[in-house]
Amino acid sequence: MSQHRAMLEIHALEKRFGQTEVLKNIDLKVREGELVFVIGPSGSGKSTMLRCCNRLEEPTSGAIMIDGARITDIPRRDLDKMRLKVGMVFQGFHLYPHMTVLKNVMLAQVKALGRSKAEAEARALDMLDQVGLKHKADARPSELSGGQQQRVAIARAVALDPKVMLFDEPTSALDPELVGSVLNVMKDLRQKGMTMLVVSHEMAFAREAADRVVFMDGGYVVEQGPPEEVFGNPKSERLKAFLSRVSGTAAA
Amino acid sequence: MNMFLATFFDINIMMQALPLLLKGAVTTLKLCAVVIICGLFGGLMLALRALSPRGWLRWGSVIYIDLFRAIPPLVLLIFVYSGLPFAGLELAPFSAVVIAFFMNNSAYFAEVFRAGINAVPKGQTEAARATGLSPTQTMIHVVLPPAIRNVLPDLLSNTVEVVKLTSLASVVSLSELLYSANMARSVTYNASPLVLAALLYLAVLWPLVRIISRYQRGLAVK
Amino acid sequence: MRFLETFFNPAVIGQYLPDIIAAMWVTIYLAVATVLTGVLLGAGLACIRAANLKSVNFCIIVFADVMRALPPLVLILILYFGMPSVGLSLSAEVVIWLVLSSVLTAFAEEIFWGGLTAVPAGQWEAGRATGHSKFQTLIYIALPQAVRMGIPPLVNRILATTKLTALGSVIGVKEILSVASSAQSFSGSATPLTMAAIAYMIIFIPAVIASHWVERRFSYKM
Ligand SMILES: Nc1ncnc2c1ncn2[C@@H]1O[C@H](COP(=O)(O)OP(=O)(O)O)[C@@H](O)[C@H]1O
Ligand SMILES: [Mg+2]
């Protein structure tokens, strides 16, 4: 790591839905250009943590900093500007079905970022080229495979020049043979220096591309470290149990 | 058989009544245009309010929608036309009809829009908001286009209902199509002008009803 | 204060309450008769249509289209004023029942037929494969599914059609609106119209609430 500036910082984050406490006390730091990988059993609060980072979910307490700016106490009406700095990719892609692929990537550039149409189109085509889908610019999302849709969704988010990209199980809804193309796009992004926080079950990808792996369980960060460490020498019982369960299903 | 034809299909009487009926049809069209445009707009506004997170806005709209869906439009019309003058508010028939049917129709259109908006997956809104679009931009660019496309058959079928509804304006002596036909009936002592009015309504509405059937069948098969 | 005096005059309420309550029964009775006739005939016609007899189906489709496209008030006036000339005098109640039942039959037929065409082909095949006749498959397997799919739009249509009982006031059926209208002219007060509106709310608001419930309960997500 040549850079050490923290791009995303989570301090003592708590989140409650009514009575149920989903995030109990999360501390996490993602430095500039770092790819941090989050694993953990379903229901452990991974999605909720990501969604707090762009305030799709309102944290109950704690602080979140993006590029040094505290986003947890900016007023609601300024949320839109903050969200331009935080890109998000969802498990279900959520492309807009009534627009072409190109328009999907242009919309927020024009409406939220205020770019001119021409500028936005040029940027969109460039982004589509980077994810290998320039030839699909005029197609509708429904004409694309899941893997292609997810790559468009990544292009849509990255076109806004965010400081951080959040990925919530980006490949979980994909057929196995389509996973690779999406992971390649993510590797590309990392090479270009994007700061990324990724929730995923693709352990092989984590070993290969992650700077750090974070294991969450029951609303806490239980263990974190370099991939070799976390996968090769897990310390907590819960992580050991989780890893054996996951590798068991992967082998099956 | 002859008696039947003479009662319902007297061509001479129909020809005599035709100019009067066409004049009435023009009023019907004007009425439809005003009520449909206001109803669509009002319905959309109501639907957005009914879906807004703010409690009092939401409940106000939900109650409005249910209330005006429960009261027969003719009752609203009589209330506005004959009841409001007691409160010193005297309205011309055309205005009374527009106001009464607006209350009724905006509620119906609101229900249609609300169903359409609700059917758009929540992930669409979240994705749009995550890219920094404001709630209003999200509604306009991301939610409404597919929502409206989904409910197009219902909007069309509601529009047909509006055209049929305007015939009630005859009750408050607004000289639209049915009123003119009924005038002609009472002058000629013959039901043929009413049948002619029916044919005029059919000429406009039958094709629309066909389209609606096709469209809904298409959706059902999908 | 003057507002209360005009629209909620206690003396007028006391005087006309019994009449309005009696009229509510007429409205309810007409509504129930319309619903029973319309839903049963509509389901029947949809089943007949499933038999695929070309000329019969043509008649059903024309009937359903015309009844859905024509304003009911036109039909009411034609029957009420025209039929006596061909020697068939129908009472006002019968005219309202006939017209509203026909309208509901048409809409119900379309709704059930839409449901039947949406029942997957596999269901028919499964029915035939387990030894049912075509007729048995229709009645025991396809129709129940079609009915279930059709319930939300059917409830809305029933609501819209039964509210049309207010049209009875135009030809003198002693239902709520006509009783309230004449009470209004006798008393010189708008209060009876308020009473009418409230009477309709008492009857139809439960129906509107039921329609919301039914929509949540029965709507199949596409
Ligand atoms: N909007 C919500 N309301 C109530 N509970 C929720 C909501 N969203 C998530 N939860 C609960 O929070 C817990 C963590 O969910 P989530 O963050 O989606 O976990 P993960 O992504 O790790 O599977 C789960 O038990 C889930 O049921
Ligand atoms: Mg999750």
Side-chain angles (χ1 to χ4, degrees):
Chain A
M1 279 294 95
S2 55
Q3 310 265 7
H4 294 289
R5 188 158 64 112
M7 195 52 99
L8 169 65
E9 267 184 279
I10 302 174
H11 283 303
L13 176 65
E14 275 192 278
K15 172 67 186 176
R16 239 173 276 146
F17 290 108
Q19 292 302 314
T20 47
E21 196 163 22
V22 173
L23 301 177
K24 287 168 186 151
N25 187 0
I26 302 280
D27 278 285
L28 190 64
K29 201 178 278 188
V30 185
R31 296 186 188 81
E32 187 170 12
E34 209 181 8
L35 192 159
V36 172
F37 207 85
V38 182
I39 57 174
S42 148
S44 57
K46 307 180 298 291
S47 297
T48 307
M49 180 184 74
L50 284 196
R51 292 160 60 83
C52 283
C53 293
N54 63 359
R55 287 186 52 191
L56 278 182
E57 225 58 91
E58 284 296 332
T60 307
S61 69
I64 297 175
M65 247 85 89
I66 304 283
D67 196 17
R70 202 182 170 95
I71 62 136
T72 25
D73 40 34
I74 57 175
R76 285 196 151 269
R77 63 171 185 284
D78 294 336
L79 282 185
D80 303 331
K81 246 181 250 133
M82 174 276 283
R83 283 176 178 151
L84 286 169
K85 294 196 217 153
V86 186
M88 187 162 202
V89 172
F90 303 84
Q91 181 176 351
F93 332 133
H94 303 326
L95 295 183
Y96 313 133
H98 58 293
M99 294 179 195
T100 62
V101 162
L102 183 68
K103 287 271 156 56
N104 262 278
V105 184
M106 284 173 62
L107 182 68
Q109 291 188 61
V110 175
K111 301 295 173 192
L113 209 51
R115 285 187 184 143
S116 73
K117 281 237 165 84
E119 202 181 345
E121 182 172 336
R123 184 61 202 276
L125 287 171
D126 181 40
M127 282 313 307
L128 287 173
D129 198 23
Q130 286 185 39
V131 301
L133 290 170
K134 197 172 177 183
H135 61 292
K136 294 286 188 189
D138 294 322
R140 296 275 166 157
S142 58
E143 300 163 36
L144 304 186
S145 73
Q148 292 173 326
Q149 290 190 45
Q150 192 60 297
R151 280 141 68 195
V152 174
I154 294 174
R156 176 173 71 181
V158 176
L160 300 168
D161 297 324
K163 306 256 183 195
V164 187
M165 281 290 295
L166 311 171
F167 292 83
D168 192 358
E169 307 202 22
T171 57
S172 299
L174 299 179
D175 292 336
E177 76 271 20
L178 301 175
V179 168
S181 67
V182 173
L183 295 182
N184 282 338
V185 166
M186 291 168 65
K187 273 184 228 163
D188 254 18
L189 264 183
R190 171 183 149 71
Q191 229 114 62
K192 295 198 171 96
M194 178 60 76
T195 308
M196 296 157 79
L197 183 57
V198 180
V199 172
S200 169
H201 299 300
E202 299 293 333
M203 301 300 175
F205 176 73
R207 279 178 205 278
E208 188 186 339
D211 295 295
R212 197 147 39 93
V213 175
V214 172
F215 172 61
M216 278 179 72
D217 194 12
Y220 292 103
V221 170
V222 177
E223 206 172 321
Q224 58 175 309
E228 320 78 74
E229 195 88 346
V230 169
F231 294 130
N233 184 21
K235 297 192 178 55
S236 67
E237 287 307 313
R238 285 198 276 179
L239 176 53
K240 282 179 197 161
F242 175 71
L243 287 176
S244 71
R245 265 207 313 276
V246 173
S247 61
T249 49
Chain B
M1 194 61 207
N2 266 339
M3 191 165 70
F4 183 82
L5 283 181
T7 305
F8 295 107
F9 292 95
D10 188 320
I11 299 291
N12 283 331
I13 290 180
M14 282 188 177
M15 291 318 284
Q16 274 175 5
L18 188 61
L20 184 66
L21 263 63
L22 288 179
K23 241 178 97 187
V26 172
T27 306
T28 293
L29 284 180
K30 275 189 207 154
L31 198 53
C32 289
V34 176
V35 174
I36 290 168
I37 290 168
C38 296
L40 277 171
F41 185 75
L44 183 56
M45 292 301 120
L46 273 170
L48 293 177
R49 300 249 142 84
L51 293 164
S52 87
R54 257 176 290 176
W56 59 274
L57 265 182
R58 186 171 73 237
W59 284 111
S61 317
V62 168
I63 289 170
Y64 176 102
I65 293 170
D66 280 0
L67 191 65
F68 288 117
R69 257 160 42 99
I71 301 179
L74 185 56
V75 177
L76 280 175
L77 177 57
I78 301 291
F79 196 92
V80 170
Y81 184 72
S82 320
L84 290 188
F86 287 94
L89 192 63
E90 202 127 359
L91 292 164
F94 193 88
S95 321
V97 170
V98 166
I99 290 172
F101 291 175
F102 171 77
M103 292 194 260
N104 174 263
N105 254 281
S106 51
Y108 269 92
F109 276 122
E111 271 297 284
V112 173
F113 282 123
R114 185 161 68 156
I117 292 170
N118 272 334
V120 174
K122 211 164 158 271
Q124 292 285 311
T125 310
E126 291 197 337
R129 301 283 280 131
T131 57
L133 295 182
S134 70
T136 313
Q137 288 172 328
T138 302
M139 189 49 79
I140 293 174
H141 299 291
V142 175
V143 177
L144 281 183
I148 289 175
R149 177 164 319 171
N150 284 343
V151 296
L152 226 43
D154 293 329
L155 289 177
L156 189 57
S157 115
N158 225 10
T159 303
V160 170
E161 293 301 317
V162 175
V163 181
K164 287 156 63 178
L165 191 65
T166 56
S167 66
L168 303 196
S170 59
V171 176
V172 296
S173 313
L174 180 67
S175 51
E176 47 68 74
L177 178 52
L178 183 55
Y179 182 82
S180 309
N182 204 28
M183 281 296 273
R185 175 199 61 83
S186 62
V187 173
T188 58
Y189 297 106
N190 185 291
S192 300
L194 290 174
V195 174
L196 181 58
L199 294 175
L200 289 175
Y201 279 112
L202 278 183
V204 177
L205 296 181
W206 196 337
L208 294 182
V209 166
R210 267 300 74 222
I211 292 173
I212 294 166
S213 279
R214 282 270 171 82
Y215 210 146
Q216 275 164 344
R217 192 98 349 114
L219 285 181
V221 168
K222 247 194 269 168
Chain C
M1 226 45 254
R2 212 177 76 83
F3 175 82
L4 280 184
E5 191 65 18
T6 309
F7 292 101
F8 294 93
N9 185 326
V12 177
I13 291 179
Q15 188 181 351
Y16 290 104
L17 192 58
D19 292 355
I20 297 272
I21 290 177
M24 281 174 79
W25 285 113
V26 176
T27 294
I28 290 173
Y29 167 81
L30 275 174
V32 170
T34 299
V35 172
L36 289 180
T37 324
V39 172
L40 288 179
L41 285 183
L45 285 185
C47 288
I48 294 175
R49 197 166 161 187
N52 249 334
L53 305 167
K54 267 224 160 71
S55 52
V56 176
N57 281 11
F58 180 78
C59 296
I60 294 177
I61 292 170
V62 170
F63 168 79
D65 279 8
V66 170
M67 286 300 155
R68 289 184 304 150
L70 272 185
L73 188 53
V74 179
L75 286 167
I76 290 169
L77 295 183
I78 290 177
L79 283 192
Y80 190 68
F81 291 114
M83 289 322 264
S85 310
V86 291
L88 191 62
S89 281
L90 301 171
S91 78
E93 282 86 356
V94 170
V95 167
I96 292 294
W97 169 73
L98 261 181
V99 170
L100 297 190
S101 305
S102 305
V103 169
L104 187 55
T105 300
F107 278 102
E109 187 275 328
E110 275 298 302
I111 289 168
F112 289 135
W113 175 246
L116 281 178
T117 56
V119 171
Q123 294 290 314
W124 284 92
E125 285 164 9
R128 299 305 303 277
T130 46
H132 296 290
S133 71
K134 207 171 171 196
F135 181 72
Q136 287 173 324
T137 309
L138 171 67
I139 299 298
Y140 298 118
I141 295 167
L143 192 61
Q145 298 183 47
V147 168
R148 199 188 149 88
M149 271 183 263
I151 279 179
L154 187 63
V155 169
N156 280 329
R157 184 50 63 178
I158 285 175
L159 196 66
T161 313
T162 47
K163 279 192 308 182
L164 292 175
T165 51
L167 296 185
S169 63
V170 177
I171 54 173
V173 176
K174 292 265 165 277
E175 50 67 67
I176 300 171
L177 181 59
S178 76
V179 167
S181 285
S182 50
Q184 177 228 321
S185 27
F186 277 124
S187 64
S189 157
T191 302
L193 293 180
T194 317
M195 294 169 72
I198 292 172
Y200 279 109
M201 285 188 232
I202 291 172
I203 298 176
F204 287 111
I205 283 196
V208 168
I209 292 171
S211 79
H212 290 313
W213 180 80
V214 148
E215 217 144 90
R216 275 196 301 274
R217 176 93 169 56
F218 288 97
S219 69
Y220 278 32
K221 291 273 173 262
M222 291 213 292

